[in-house]
Structure formats: structure tokens, C-alpha cells
Amino acid sequence: MARGTEGIRCTGIPPFSDLFGTRDVTQAFLPLPARSQGALVNVASLAAWAAVPASVGYSISKAAVFSLSQSWRAILAGGGVSVHVVLPGPVDTDMTKGFDEVPKPSAESAARNIFDGVEKGEEDIFPDPVSESVSESWRSGAIKELEHRYAAAYLAVPPGR
């Protein structure tokens, strides 16, 4: 057996409640932000970019939420709905108890930073010290530029085509 594979278990499909819950709730309530030219705020995670080996399903589902949100950002842009993705690192909650190697803001502090990011019109919101440390390289990077190019190409195609 290869090094490290003895602890791997394939237990079926990862828990995609993050993805399907985000999709289903957004579809149910989309008329509200569309009428008011409001905002959607989806919570992904830095685990969408850098998988957490002990939480494979979590990492996969957060990557899916991130991709879904990028797609909706382009699709809904013409209707005046802004789509924001929150990419937190560790925040001081029950989920991160015992994970003391990095600074963790309170949930209240992270929430304030999320609201501030929406008010500033930030597409991708980095509400804590760990995520903020990668924010500039993301915002000015080639992949973010590619996202914008794909969105522009999508918007250039006439509806119904």
C-alpha cells in the first residue's frame, strides 16, 4: 500500500449540501435580489483552493460553491444582481476548536468584514487574517483575469443562443 493510503476511505459521494443548499436557496429567493438589484453572498472557503486533507468532502463542496458563484456572477450581472463569494480561513467557531496554529478572528468580526466587503463591492471577500494574506495575489492574478474574460465572453453572446 502506498504511503499514507491506509487511512483513506471512500464512503460514497461527498456531502454536497453546501452546493445544493446554496443552489436551491438561491433559486428559490432569486426574484427578491433581482427585483431590488440586490446581492447574493455565498460562503465558500479557502479550502476551495487549498484542500483540507482531513475534510475531503468539505473541500470539494466549497470548491463547487465557489465555481457556482463565479458562474452566477456572470449570468446575473446583466440583471443588476451582484454575486459575492466569501473565502474565509479559520474563524473562531466550534468547527475550528483546537486549531490554534493560526490567528482566528471571532465570528462577529468576520461577519462585519463580510458586510464591509459587500458594501465596497468586492466580488471575493477575505474576512480574516489568513484569507486576507492571499487576497491581493488572487485579485491581481491570472485566474481572476480569466474569470473576467469568461464573463465578458458570456455576456457578449445574445440571449437564447
Side-chain angles (χ1 to χ4, degrees):
M1 190 175 285
R3 180 180 169 272
T5 59
E6 54 279 337
I8 295 176
R9 291 174 297 160
C10 293
T11 57
I13 298 173
F16 284 112
S17 59
D18 286 323
L19 171 62
F20 295 126
T22 298
R23 181 201 63 190
D24 295 348
V25 169
T26 299
Q27 287 178 336
F29 289 98
L30 188 56
L32 298 174
R35 271 197 303 268
S36 66
Q37 301 215 336
L40 295 177
V41 181
N42 294 329
V43 179
S45 168
L46 286 184
W49 297 346
V52 178
S55 298
V56 175
Y58 177 81
S59 298
I60 291 168
S61 65
K62 291 301 185 178
V65 166
F66 180 68
S67 291
L68 177 68
S69 300
Q70 286 181 305
S71 296
W72 277 347
R73 185 177 290 149
I75 292 166
L76 298 173
V81 176
S82 62
V83 177
H84 308 268
V85 183
V86 181
L87 293 147
V91 174
D92 193 15
T93 64
D94 288 345
M95 184 176 169
T96 61
K97 269 190 181 149
F99 187 65
D100 299 322
E101 294 80 22
V102 296
K104 297 183 290 188
S106 68
E108 294 80 11
S109 173
R112 276 192 303 277
N113 291 337
I114 292 166
F115 280 110
D116 289 347
V118 172
E119 286 180 3
K120 292 176 190 172
E122 295 174 0
E123 291 182 338
D124 304 307
I125 300 169
F126 302 88
D128 61 273
V130 172
S131 65
E132 183 59 34
S133 72
V134 300
S135 66
E136 190 52 40
S137 63
W138 170 252
R139 290 181 177 126
S140 63
I143 300 299
K144 188 66 179 173
E145 176 61 29
L146 185 60
E147 176 191 347
H148 288 153
R149 286 185 193 172
Y150 283 169
Y154 172 82
L155 293 171
V157 175
R161 186 163 176 247

